[in-house]
Amino acid sequence: MQTDQVFLAALYLLAPAGLVLLALRVSLFAKVGPIVLCYAAGLLLGLTGLLPESGAEIRTSITEASLGLALPLLLFAVDVRAWGHVAGRAMLSMLLAVIAVVALATALYHLFTSQGVERVEQLSGMAVGMYTGGIANMGAIKLALGIPDARYLLFATVDTVVGSIYLLFVLTMAPRVLGGFLPGFTTDKNADPEPLPTEAQNRSGMVVPGLVAFSAAVLCVGLAVVLAPMLPFANPQILTIVLLTTFGIAGSFLPALRLNRAAPHMGMYLIYVFSFCVAASMDLTALAGMDMSILVFCVAATFGSFALHALLARFARIDRDTFLITSVAAVMSPAFVPMVSRSLRNPAILMSGMATGILGFAIGNYLGISLALLLAGKG
């Protein structure tokens, strides 16, 4: 490996660490969040034109490797057996959220296709993955469907802006707007009122758990890469992502992985690396040439699925707090659930929101890829 490639590899792998430290120590950056910082920094780096073309190969390799390892690391923390203990109304609300986003993504596919927009199934697939589990799902679907970096980055960037507006609405106006539309929250005897541990956990003694989790993730990636070309069901690239998701969920049945404290932290850091690398691949000409109908698609998918989810929740008599917590878990990811739980002053919904959000993360890849392939077949 040449010196410039070593430098670029170090830059892609270590720059997110500096951005995470900024988010931890500077209140302004903390409000923005590490993922947004990584996108912004990577985008600025890419737009400077300072990155050599010879570094594209190493960037692509790190992009694919970081996402491939992040998926099982994040999924190891899933407690599948605990899903049966989630309050029934929260699980029902999450199901309605999934139905809403799939319905909107499908309707938007037909609408945008009729307007001459190309490959709309890519947008529909990413929307379903993003709005059932988060950035990791959308990144996985990007790789599985071979979505161009420019299109993925614009979608992710627009979604960050739209998602911020959505979250602000949920934290401020939504509780009042929905107060007379949905029933009030009542205690469910099956719900767990205990709050989750805070992020201020003791992170000492992470070396051994980290090595165990990383080794298991490498094994998952190796098995997926080897087995995908041997299976005749679909494109090997798609099957690799599906197998990684499956192996990650399977690994969660092992206590040594499910209870591993290092795995989720490592997985999220690799998502930061992935975000930084993808953003750094952007240039001004690619951004200027993008179809800005993606903005309309993101706005319609986010707020349209929210409105349809609310309508379905009314018919199912889902209460306001459960609706909001599962909507945020689906649209934004479980990471935002504690924030909304505190905003609603309702700790009883915290566990339900986290559990349904993890469920959405686990099924998001399957749903997004399947819908995109189904729509592409109809096109």
Side-chain angles (χ1 to χ4, degrees):
M1 187 181 289
Q2 299 177 356
T3 303
D4 60 336
Q5 291 182 323
V6 173
F7 172 78
L8 287 174
L11 175 65
Y12 293 134
L13 292 171
L14 299 179
L19 296 171
V20 171
L21 287 176
L22 281 177
L24 290 174
R25 298 185 178 183
V26 180
S27 59
L28 176 62
F29 293 139
K31 295 178 181 178
V32 175
I35 285 183
V36 177
L37 287 176
C38 288
Y39 271 122
L43 182 60
L44 289 175
L45 178 63
L47 294 180
T48 61
L50 297 176
L51 295 175
E53 293 184 6
S54 59
E57 184 176 350
I58 188 66
R59 183 180 63 240
T60 299
S61 298
I62 293 177
T63 300
E64 295 178 352
S66 60
L67 194 279
L69 290 168
L71 281 176
L73 284 169
L74 291 172
L75 285 168
F76 287 159
V78 171
D79 188 354
V80 177
R81 292 168 298 183
W83 290 346
H85 301 294
V86 174
R89 59 189 175 188
M91 193 65 80
L92 175 59
S93 182
M94 186 63 182
L95 173 62
L96 297 178
V98 171
I99 292 174
V101 71
V102 170
L104 257 294
T106 302
L108 289 172
Y109 166 82
H110 292 291
L111 176 62
F112 277 62
T113 300
S114 68
Q115 297 300 313
V117 180
E118 297 182 355
R119 305 302 303 271
V120 185
E121 75 276 0
Q122 294 179 348
L123 304 182
S124 296
M126 285 193 293
V128 169
M130 185 69 172
Y131 303 149
T132 54
I135 187 69
N137 294 71
M138 192 171 73
I141 291 168
K142 171 218 180 305
L143 294 181
L145 299 178
I147 298 172
D149 286 346
R151 190 171 228 204
Y152 167 83
L153 180 59
L154 182 58
F155 190 98
T157 303
V158 170
D159 176 77
T160 297
V161 177
V162 175
S164 299
I165 297 172
Y166 160 84
L167 185 61
L168 182 63
F169 172 70
V170 169
L171 294 174
T172 56
M173 297 176 60
R176 294 183 180 180
V177 171
L178 296 172
F181 187 72
L182 296 176
F185 178 84
T186 55
T187 303
D188 187 331
K189 64 180 180 180
N190 294 320
D192 187 348
E194 295 298 322
L196 290 178
T198 64
E199 286 297 318
Q201 300 175 356
N202 179 11
R203 297 186 181 182
S204 62
M206 286 284 201
V207 176
V208 173
L211 289 174
V212 171
F214 187 78
S215 299
V218 170
L219 177 61
C220 290
V221 172
L223 287 173
V225 171
V226 171
L227 292 176
M230 300 169 60
L231 300 175
F233 313 127
N235 184 288
Q237 196 172 21
I238 296 175
L239 284 174
T240 298
I241 299 300
V242 173
L243 287 173
L244 278 174
T245 303
T246 303
F247 292 152
I249 295 174
S252 71
F253 285 94
L254 301 176
L257 296 178
R258 186 177 67 255
L259 303 177
N260 192 300
R261 294 182 300 155
H265 295 296
M266 295 169 64
M268 278 310 305
Y269 182 76
L270 288 172
I271 291 298
Y272 300 150
V273 173
F274 172 81
S275 302
F276 183 79
C277 289
V278 170
S281 68
M282 180 57 66
D283 57 60
L284 280 173
T285 56
L287 188 61
M290 285 300 297
D291 183 358
M292 292 308 294
S293 61
I294 290 178
L295 172 61
V296 179
F297 190 99
C298 282
V299 172
T302 302
F303 290 99
S305 61
F306 178 87
L308 180 56
H309 182 196
L311 183 62
L312 295 174
R314 178 179 174 85
F315 284 113
R317 298 198 58 79
I318 303 295
D319 65 87
R320 182 200 66 177
D321 289 8
T322 299
F323 163 78
L324 286 174
I325 207 70
T326 50
S327 176
V328 168
V331 175
M332 298 299 295
S333 86
F336 294 88
V337 165
M339 180 193 306
V340 176
S341 175
R342 288 195 296 269
S343 175
L344 294 172
R345 299 180 181 179
N346 188 352
I349 60 174
L350 184 55
M351 285 300 293
S352 294
M354 292 299 293
T356 52
I358 292 172
L359 172 61
F361 170 66
I363 66 175
N365 289 344
Y366 300 111
L367 287 174
I369 293 171
S370 298
L371 180 66
L373 294 178
L374 178 64
L375 294 175
K378 289 182 177 181

